Each structure stands twice: as C-alpha cells, then as structure tokens.
C-alpha cells in the first residue's frame, strides 16, 4: 500500500518539483494563458515556460514572448513579435507589411482576422527600444494595435515550451 501511495502521489510531485527547480536554474518561469489572443497557436489554459532574455538580446520577428502590460492587470500575456526597434509596420487589406515586405503568417487563421481592426493599420515606425506585438487571433487580441509598441523592459522573456 505504501508503495502505491509513493508511486501515485510522492514521485509525481517530486518530479514536478525537480522540473520547476531545473527551469529556475535555467532562468525560466511559467504562466498559464488566460485569454484567446494567441489562438490557434496557444489556447486558453495552456501552460507556457519562458526564458528570461539578456538586456542585449534581440527578439526575432515571429518569436512568441511573455510580457506584462497595465491593460492586463499585471497578468502575463503571450504575444508574437512582428517588428522591432526602428522597423516600419502596416496592415493593408489584411496583409502584414514590415519594412516594405509582405510577411507570410502561416500561424494565423484568416477567419480570425476579418474585422477592420485586424485588416487595416496605418504605416508607423516602431520607436527605439520597443517592439510591435500582435496576437495570432487578430480579431480578439488587444495588442500593439490597441496600446502601441511595447517597451523592451515589459517583455519578460521568450516562450520556449508550451504544454
């Protein structure tokens, strides 16, 4: 009986604790996705692990990051980096254009991006030290289209794993 208790309760909890400790030692943290802004890539309830970034480290376009913004009452939110410091970005007729080049976005569903909010964005330049973040579910995402480019200091890290 004691063996059964150990196998079903103690060992799994010890394994989970070891996983969390390993993540902390690698500079990683985790959070649970609370909204639908990144569907279909990340569903509500998905647990994501993110890795802290060094102050000099740049984020590549298309990367998914964890960030905090006052609009979300201190909650950690995932979003996709689509333009970096000094890049130009616009959306015309549903097509994302960064630095004059159309961006292929295989991660979004076109039926999640039909409203004017999602299909039109006047051309703008991302300020130095900031990033332009968009959710994959464009019609349901409050992102840089809503509150503007995000300062680098509010980006917690790069999402490295999701479960």
């Amino acid at each position: 009986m004691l063996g059964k208790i150990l196998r079903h309760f103690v060992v799994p909890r010890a394994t989970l604790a070891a996983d969390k400790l390993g993540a902390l030692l690698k500079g990683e943290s985790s959070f649970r996705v609370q909204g639908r802004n990144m569907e279909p890539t990340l569903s509500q309830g998905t647990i994501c692990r993110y890795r802290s970034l060094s102050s000099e480290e740049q984020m590549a376009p298309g990367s998914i990051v964890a960030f905090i913004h006052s609009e979300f009452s201190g909650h950690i939110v995932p979003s996709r980096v689509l333009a970096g410091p000094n890049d130009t970005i616009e959306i015309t007729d549903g097509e994302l254009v960064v630095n004059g080049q159309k961006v292929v976005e295989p991660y979004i569903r076109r039926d999640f991006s039909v409203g004017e909010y999602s299909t039109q964005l006047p051309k703008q330049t991302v300020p130095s030290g900031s990033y332009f973040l968009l959710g994959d579910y464009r019609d349901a995402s409050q992102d840089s289209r809503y509150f503007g480019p995000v300062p680098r200091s509010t980006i917690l890290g790069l999402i490295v794993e999701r479960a």
Side-chain angles (χ1 to χ4, degrees), residues 59-77:
M59 290 159 279
S63 300
I64 302 174
V65 296
F67 76 106
I68 293 181
H69 194 279
S70 60
E71 288 290 325
F72 306 115
S73 305
H75 294 289
I76 297 172
V77 178

Side-chain angles (χ1 to χ4, degrees), residues 11-132:
V11 172
R13 292 188 193 286
T15 302
L16 181 60
D19 286 347
K20 283 189 175 186
L21 179 60
L24 285 173
L25 292 173
K26 291 189 276 183
E28 296 177 356
S29 299
S30 61
F31 70 100
R32 184 180 303 272
V33 175
Q34 295 189 15
R36 299 182 63 200
N37 72 306
M38 283 299 292
E39 287 182 3
T41 306
L42 299 173
S43 299
Q44 188 167 347
T46 300
I47 297 173
C48 295
R49 186 176 288 171
Y50 64 92
R51 174 181 58 79
S52 299
L53 301 168
S54 69
S55 59
E56 310 82 41
E57 196 170 354
Q58 298 295 314
M59 290 159 279
S63 300
I64 302 174
V65 296
F67 76 106
I68 293 181
H69 194 279
S70 60
E71 288 290 325
F72 306 115
S73 305
H75 294 289
I76 297 172
V77 178
S79 200
R80 192 175 297 275
V81 174
L82 288 168
N86 307 311
D87 286 341
T88 60
I89 186 165
E90 64 185 307
I91 301 174
T92 305
D93 298 326
E95 296 291 332
L96 177 67
V97 178
V98 177
N99 297 326
Q101 302 291 314
K102 285 186 181 179
V103 177
V104 176
E105 298 184 281
Y107 41 80
I108 67 168
R109 285 181 37 185
R110 291 292 166 201
D111 59 326
F112 282 15
S113 184
V114 294
E116 185 175 340
Y117 175 68
S118 301
T119 59
Q120 302 296 321
L121 176 72
K123 186 176 184 176
Q124 57 186 281
T125 301
V126 180
S128 180
S130 296
Y131 289 83
F132 202 92

